[in-house]
Amino acid sequence: MKTHEIRERFTQHFVNSGHEAVPSASLILDDPNLLFVNAGMVPFKPYFLGQQNPPFPNGLATSIQKCVRTLDIEEVGITTRHNTFFQMAGNFSFGQYFKEGAIENAWALLTNSVDEGGFGLDPDRLWVTVYLDDDEAAKIWNEKIGVPKERIQRMGMEDNYWSMGVPGPCGPCSEIYYDRGPEYGVEGGPEADDNRYMEIWNLVFMQNIRGEGNGKGDFELLGELPKKNIDTGLGIERVACILQGVDNVYETDLLAPVIAEAEKVTGATYEDPEDERINDVRFRVIADHSRTAMMLILDGVTPSNEGRGYILRRLVRRIIRSARLLGAQAEVLERFMNTIMDTMELSYPEIAQNRERILRVALNEEKSFLKTLESGTHRFDEVAAAAKTEGKTVVRGQEAFELHDTYGFPIDLTLEMAAEAGLEVDMDSFNAAMTEQRERAKADNRAKKHGHADESLYREWVDNQPTVFTGYEELASDAKVIGLVRDGEKVTSAGAGEQVEVILDHSPLYAESGGQMADRGRIFTGDTVLDVQDVQKIGKKLWVHKATVASGGLDLGSQVTAEVDQKWRHGATQAHTATHLIHAALREVLGPTAVQAGSLNRPGYLRFDFNFTEQLSDAQLEEIALIANQAVDADFAVNTIETSLEEAKAMGAMALFGENYGHDVRVVEIGGPFSIELCGGTHVSHSSQIGPISVLGESSVGSGARRIEAYSGMDAFRYYSKEAALIDAVSKDLKVPSDDLPGRIASLTEKLKQAEKEIAKLHQAQLQAKSAEFVAQAQDINGFKVLTLNLPNGVAANDLRTLATDLRNRLSNDDAIVVLASENDGKLPFIAAATKSAVARGVKSGDVVKLFGGYVDGRGGGKPDMAQGAGSNAGGIEQGFAAVRDFAETL
């Protein structure tokens, strides 16, 4: 019975008995306690809690709710019944029927024949559990339904008592299990083996009110509900598993097609589920996560680094990495997503209208992650190899933090890869590094935004003596010290060496705003000099100068001069105006949807974030750089206009990301219609004063957001000079003109690849030439030919496999076991092979590999006739060989 038919039968069964069919709610509900809907009753919570009256005329409802649970995501594929996305079928009674009605409805659907609209399950294979003292439910099951007492088991509060985890309705449960047979485990019912006895339906009898408490069982029962309710949940995937006669939920009609597609994409084979090979888990991860990711995107989730978006991102990354580990070389998500959409569309017709969007979101995330995976995996391999070379089994937390911070590698991915390499991660030191980073960020933010002090401290100045900014007209201004703050307290003076916040009535120094960093400069009078490192705004009106007293001392009320560092200001204005040009060029190349999403500019450097879903091509980047530099060459006048917000919008001025504007605004216009934006920053007076703009590249900074980075002015010149010097040096080394470098480098690269192939062939030929010599070294042990070789000169894993195949073939007339190992650049690949007759006598190469791997700090696996692995402890090779010979003695 196909899954869609199971859904239809469930719904029709309860509609026929007076329930109103309620469509599934979105996976995303406005519930601060839930990332996703994780149970069928979640959309009905307001009715169970008494917050709303149920809108169903008969007080009865039924639904098949989309659910996602990801707390135990690592269990996916390992257990036979765990999915991250699942469909929970339920029937609900609000003050109508209670235990007897719920039990009778469930039993009828499960055991009625297919012709009668039921699932046709054998009643003798159904077991039930009830809460410890729920004699009423036990009596109904036994006397009304006819379930023998020996198939009714009582369980405690942890298993058979339900609540929402907060004060409110609660009650005992009765769960229905299906006995899958002795091949799945021991006899004795659910309490003996919950793998053999698969839970398919949970009937919750809401009859009590719970109080405060922790956990599933640590709470007080306050009394009975005035109206008793029923909430049930049947797992559609689990029932499909049983009715379709498959061993696990990954092989049902919804997910099996994805596994089949993954076999085509990867070239690997999905083995017998009982084999417990890690490949099976990877296939199941691909199938399960493809469906969950598709359903999340369907309901509006997009990848990001937090919350729901992070869950989606993690699922997608696990799909991609699992496919890579199975042998996939190219992008895979389009094929997986199309397959799962085909299988799910019958039950969820809305997929058809959203196919293009789902694919676009998934494929953009895949392209982004493949870059991260390549660089991060390479770095992880280096870290893992170094740890094993040093004889360690733990990856240092600082290295895991580097992978996270520098390479964008999520810690869960590092943990997975470490486990596969036989390593652990020092999570204590990783968490310490993460905490330290967060504290640094918080401290920096407090220092800049004055979070360390109550802003009411500055309220008097904000309201009565706001700073007059003079920096648009001049770089030095006379001013009066109207406030001094040190360590969050008002002071009347500051001495040499002290750090102090200085508040002036006038200031030419620009306070950080709109992406432009604050000016550097100085405050001085007589022998007193203060170096200004930062300037921040309080309440948009007060300039607070963070300064260090370099000499002399400063008193409240002093008359001083505040002066901007001219070199700093010049570089800052170049970069800020260049940011406007880049923005205009972006919109010209990419269209009006490429709008600003954040920026930062400091002297000589800018970064510009913009909303766009696709990576920019080299041609697009070149065009953006060309347009921006053409605007520089055009020597456009940079005009500033003070006007009302309404007038500015009428002029077509663009507002910047994250800015809140008052009634009066400042418009910066460059080259007439070329660029016109609302902006309070400082700028050059003509675009030619920017100097060259060198676009360094672009990257992703989140789902649907890209970032361009560039140098301006002398920094751009220095960058170009460095690049030119590098090209000149390479040109001289290769003795070709610079224009011919691309062709020359491509030619050399191709020759290098060919040379590496020839060397590999030569290496293999040399090894095979010695095959006869190697075969002669085989030892006779217990009727077996056992050949163990520690090959010198760093033989690679592929060469080991070729040689092992050749040696096995040469020994094919014997019961032979071949084990080869070779230390190679800190790595230790090893391989085991067995002839057909040796396999017939009980030899499994996978067992041999595991035995040998234990002596060289390695692991591996494979088929009975050949298996391979990798280790790190070359000192254990001979002990490992001895263990293999001892193993042959026992066969």
Side-chain angles (χ1 to χ4, degrees):
M1 187 181 296
K2 299 295 185 183
T3 300
H4 184 69
E5 184 180 348
I6 294 171
R7 288 168 46 98
E8 293 294 300
R9 281 176 178 265
F10 183 94
T11 301
Q12 194 58 51
H13 174 78
F14 283 100
V15 167
N16 289 345
S17 60
H19 295 68
E20 180 172 333
V22 179
S24 172
S26 168
L27 285 166
I28 304 168
L29 288 185
D30 186 17
D31 187 329
N33 298 311
L34 292 175
L35 276 179
F36 305 111
V37 170
N38 61 2
M41 59 76 60
V42 170
F44 301 95
K45 278 173 61 176
Y47 314 135
F48 289 128
L49 291 171
Q51 297 167 345
Q52 299 177 27
N53 292 321
F56 319 115
N58 296 332
L60 304 175
T62 184
S63 73
I64 299 177
Q65 175 62 44
K66 301 178 288 187
C67 301
V68 167
R69 293 180 187 171
T70 57
L71 289 177
D72 46 358
I73 192 172
E74 289 80 9
E75 294 300 310
V76 169
I78 298 174
T79 68
T80 61
R81 58 188 185 276
H82 179 82
N83 289 136
T84 50
F85 171 89
F86 57 94
Q87 301 170 88
M88 186 61 74
N91 56 288
F92 307 91
S93 168
F94 304 96
Q96 305 302 312
Y97 63 75
F98 197 47
K99 292 182 183 179
E100 186 170 335
I103 291 171
E104 289 177 339
N105 268 312
W107 189 259
L109 176 59
L110 293 176
T111 61
N112 282 353
S113 70
V114 173
D115 290 340
E116 294 174 308
F119 293 145
L121 296 181
D122 182 356
D124 294 335
R125 301 185 75 166
L126 295 176
W127 290 61
V128 297
T129 63
V130 297
Y131 182 55
L132 285 175
D133 62 1
D134 193 353
D135 296 332
E136 180 185 3
K139 185 176 181 180
I140 295 169
W141 279 116
N142 178 235
E143 297 183 4
K144 292 280 187 181
I145 304 300
V147 178
K149 289 184 178 180
E150 60 268 21
R151 295 213 314 270
I152 303 171
Q153 296 183 332
R154 295 179 184 252
M155 293 189 177
M157 191 165 267
E158 287 291 321
D159 297 298
N160 273 62
Y161 204 93
W162 177 92
S163 79
M164 295 186 199
V166 295
C170 62
C173 308
S174 182
E175 296 176 334
I176 306 174
Y177 292 79
Y178 181 82
D179 179 4
R180 299 199 290 166
E183 63 270 30
Y184 288 97
V186 300
E187 294 184 5
E191 65 181 11
D193 190 335
D194 64 358
N195 182 53
R196 170 175 170 172
Y197 300 89
M198 180 186 284
E199 179 197 342
I200 56 175
W201 207 336
N202 184 20
L203 314 179
V204 177
F205 310 131
M206 291 191 198
Q207 62 187 48
N208 302 115
I209 302 172
R210 65 157 282 182
E212 296 285 352
N214 299 312
K216 284 191 172 184
D218 182 19
F219 54 82
E220 181 184 1
L221 294 180
L222 304 179
E224 290 195 351
L225 286 171
K227 287 187 178 181
K228 297 178 180 180
N229 304 315
I230 289 293
D231 156 29
T232 84
L234 173 139
I236 292 289
E237 281 75 13
R238 295 187 183 187
V239 173
C241 179
I242 293 168
L243 294 181
Q244 293 173 20
V246 296
D247 288 319
N248 58 68
V249 293
Y250 307 100
E251 297 173 11
T252 64
D253 61 314
L254 296 186
L255 296 185
V258 185
I259 291 177
E261 190 65 24
E263 287 184 312
K264 297 176 186 176
V265 169
T266 65
T269 303
Y270 179 68
E271 300 287 346
D272 186 333
E274 297 301 319
D275 191 12
E276 295 184 359
R277 285 162 45 111
I278 196 167
N279 277 7
D280 298 338
V281 175
R282 290 170 180 155
F283 276 111
R284 295 170 187 170
V285 165
I286 289 170
D288 172 88
H289 289 5
S290 293
R291 178 171 66 170
T292 305
M294 186 275 291
M295 296 300 291
L296 289 178
I297 297 171
L298 176 66
D299 279 5
V301 182
T302 56
S304 68
N305 287 329
E306 58 184 19
R308 299 182 178 106
Y310 176 70
I311 296 295
L312 174 58
R313 171 159 287 168
R314 186 178 177 196
L315 293 170
V316 170
R317 289 178 171 183
R318 283 170 60 89
I319 297 168
I320 297 166
R321 185 165 176 273
S322 296
R324 284 297 174 103
L325 291 172
L326 287 170
Q329 299 298 319
E331 296 175 2
V332 296
L333 277 188
E334 183 171 8
R335 293 176 67 169
F336 295 158
M337 285 291 164
N338 275 322
T339 302
I340 199 64
M341 285 191 283
D342 289 342
T343 69
M344 298 291 288
E345 193 173 317
L346 186 61
S347 296
Y348 300 95
E350 63 269 26
I351 290 172
Q353 289 76 42
N354 288 275
R355 267 185 181 263
E356 183 179 345
R357 178 178 62 83
I358 292 169
L359 284 175
R360 184 172 65 250
V361 172
L363 300 189
N364 284 338
E365 182 65 14
E366 179 176 32
K367 290 177 182 177
S368 172
F369 179 56
L370 287 177
K371 294 180 181 178
T372 297
L373 187 62
E374 182 177 355
S375 60
T377 299
H378 178 72
R379 176 57 184 148
F380 175 83
D381 289 343
E382 292 177 344
V383 168
K388 292 181 177 181
T389 300
E390 296 169 7
K392 298 178 180 178
T393 60
V394 178
V395 173
R396 291 187 302 128
Q398 189 59 43
E399 291 171 324
F401 176 74
E402 177 199 6
L403 282 163
H404 160 80
D405 195 48
T406 304
Y407 294 89
F409 237 45
I411 185 60
D412 50 71
L413 187 53
T414 301
L415 288 169
E416 286 184 20
M417 293 177 66
E420 289 168 2
L423 299 169
E424 296 179 350
V425 177
D426 183 352
M427 287 303 296
D428 288 341
S429 57
F430 170 81
N431 290 329
M434 287 292 292
T435 300
E436 183 180 350
Q437 184 195 55
R438 283 193 291 266
E439 289 303 319
R440 281 198 304 268
K442 288 179 181 177
D444 181 63
N445 188 59
R446 284 195 300 266
K448 288 189 172 185
K449 307 304 180 187
H450 304 274
H452 63 284
D454 185 351
E455 287 197 1
S456 63
L457 178 71
Y458 306 89
R459 181 56 52 198
E460 179 183 349
W461 293 305
V462 170
D463 293 340
N464 302 315
Q465 294 178 290
T467 305
V468 177
F469 177 59
T470 59
Y472 293 138
E473 297 84 21
E474 58 188 20
L475 297 180
S477 300
D478 293 332
K480 180 181 179 181
V481 179
I482 60 174
L484 293 172
V485 176
R486 184 174 60 237
D487 297 330
E489 295 183 359
K490 295 179 181 180
V491 294
T492 57
S493 63
E498 292 184 336
Q499 287 192 340
V500 65
E501 293 177 354
V502 183
I503 301 169
L504 305 175
D505 61 351
H506 293 75
S507 177
L509 286 91
Y510 184 79
E512 181 180 343
S513 180
Q516 181 176 334
M517 292 183 66
D519 278 335
R520 302 294 186 267
R522 63 179 188 149
I523 298 170
F524 61 93
T525 178
D527 295 332
T528 296
V529 178
L530 287 81
D531 294 325
V532 179
Q533 296 96 25
D534 190 22
V535 188
Q536 293 294 320
K537 291 181 186 179
I538 298 290
K540 294 190 175 184
K541 293 182 177 182
L542 193 71
W543 267 232
V544 177
H545 307 74
K546 183 177 180 180
T548 301
V549 182
S551 62
L554 187 66
D555 296 322
L556 184 65
S558 298
Q559 293 293 329
V560 297
T561 299
E563 183 177 69
V564 177
D565 181 327
Q566 294 189 28
K567 184 177 180 182
W568 178 279
R569 170 67 73 85
H570 178 62
T573 58
Q574 286 179 310
H576 198 158
T577 310
T579 303
H580 285 230
L581 300 188
I582 290 288
H583 191 186
L586 266 170
R587 290 170 60 78
E588 187 170 327
V589 173
L590 303 179
T593 58
V595 295
Q596 182 171 346
S599 69
L600 180 143
N601 45 74
R602 62 173 185 260
Y605 168 85
L606 67 93
R607 73 177 188 221
F608 186 86
D609 297 346
F610 57 100
N611 295 319
F612 204 65
T613 57
E614 299 175 4
Q615 181 180 0
L616 272 59
S617 66
D618 291 340
Q620 287 173 319
L621 277 177
E622 289 177 9
E623 188 175 2
I624 289 165
L626 175 63
I627 292 171
N629 280 287
Q630 285 175 335
V632 171
D633 187 60
D635 193 26
F636 288 140
V638 179
N639 299 311
T640 58
I641 306 165
E642 303 283 348
T643 186
S644 67
L645 181 59
E646 292 73 19
E647 285 293 325
K649 290 179 178 178
M651 295 166 58
M654 293 185 61
L656 298 184
F657 171 82
E659 288 290 323
N660 294 317
Y661 298 96
H663 179 268
D664 296 323
V665 295
R666 188 167 183 264
V667 177
V668 176
E669 175 259 329
I670 307 172
F674 180 77
S675 172
I676 180 167
E677 299 185 17
L678 299 179
C679 181
T682 60
H683 292 274
V684 297
S685 58
H686 286 79
S687 61
S688 60
Q689 295 171 338
I690 296 171
I693 300 172
S694 59
V695 175
L696 306 179
E698 67 95 38
S699 60
S700 171
V701 290
S703 179
R706 312 292 301 178
R707 171 175 292 171
I708 277 185
E709 296 179 272
Y711 289 137
S712 61
M714 288 301 298
D715 285 87
F717 172 77
R718 282 187 281 270
Y719 172 76
Y720 284 136
S721 296
K722 183 179 178 181
E723 293 291 297
L726 178 62
I727 291 172
D728 184 58
V730 175
S731 180
K732 287 177 180 178
D733 286 344
L734 298 182
K735 296 181 174 59
V736 295
S738 59
D739 289 346
D740 296 339
L741 275 178
R744 178 63 169 159
I745 291 172
S747 174
L748 289 173
T749 301
E750 184 59 31
K751 288 180 180 179
L752 180 60
K753 289 180 181 178
Q754 292 300 323
E756 289 174 343
K757 290 180 181 179
E758 291 300 321
I759 291 171
K761 289 180 182 178
L762 180 61
H763 203 179
Q764 288 180 3
Q766 290 174 336
L767 287 173
Q768 289 175 347
K770 295 183 178 180
S771 291
E773 176 186 333
F774 291 149
V775 166
Q777 299 177 33
Q779 297 176 263
D780 291 311
I781 300 175
N782 191 25
F784 287 90
K785 289 282 188 180
V786 180
L787 177 58
T788 56
L789 292 173
N790 182 6
L791 297 165
N793 303 323
V795 180
N798 287 340
D799 292 337
L800 278 184
R801 190 178 186 89
T802 302
L803 179 60
T805 301
D806 184 41
L807 294 172
R808 184 183 60 185
N809 291 339
R810 289 173 182 267
L811 292 166
S812 60
N813 293 327
D814 298 297
D815 300 341
I817 303 171
V818 177
V819 182
L820 310 178
S822 179
E823 190 173 9
N824 185 8
D825 291 333
K827 299 179 181 179
L828 183 63
F830 54 88
I831 193 164
T835 58
K836 288 184 179 179
S837 56
V839 172
R841 286 186 61 185
V843 175
K844 292 183 179 180
S845 295
D847 293 340
V848 177
V849 158
K850 291 176 183 177
L851 173 65
F852 180 80
Y855 291 89
V856 295
D857 296 340
R859 58 188 295 180
K863 297 181 178 179
D865 63 337
M866 185 169 288
Q868 62 190 92
S872 59
N873 178 21
I877 291 177
E878 292 306 325
Q879 286 179 292
F881 286 160
V884 171
R885 292 190 287 270
D886 291 342
F887 168 73
E889 289 278 11
T890 66
L891 290 167

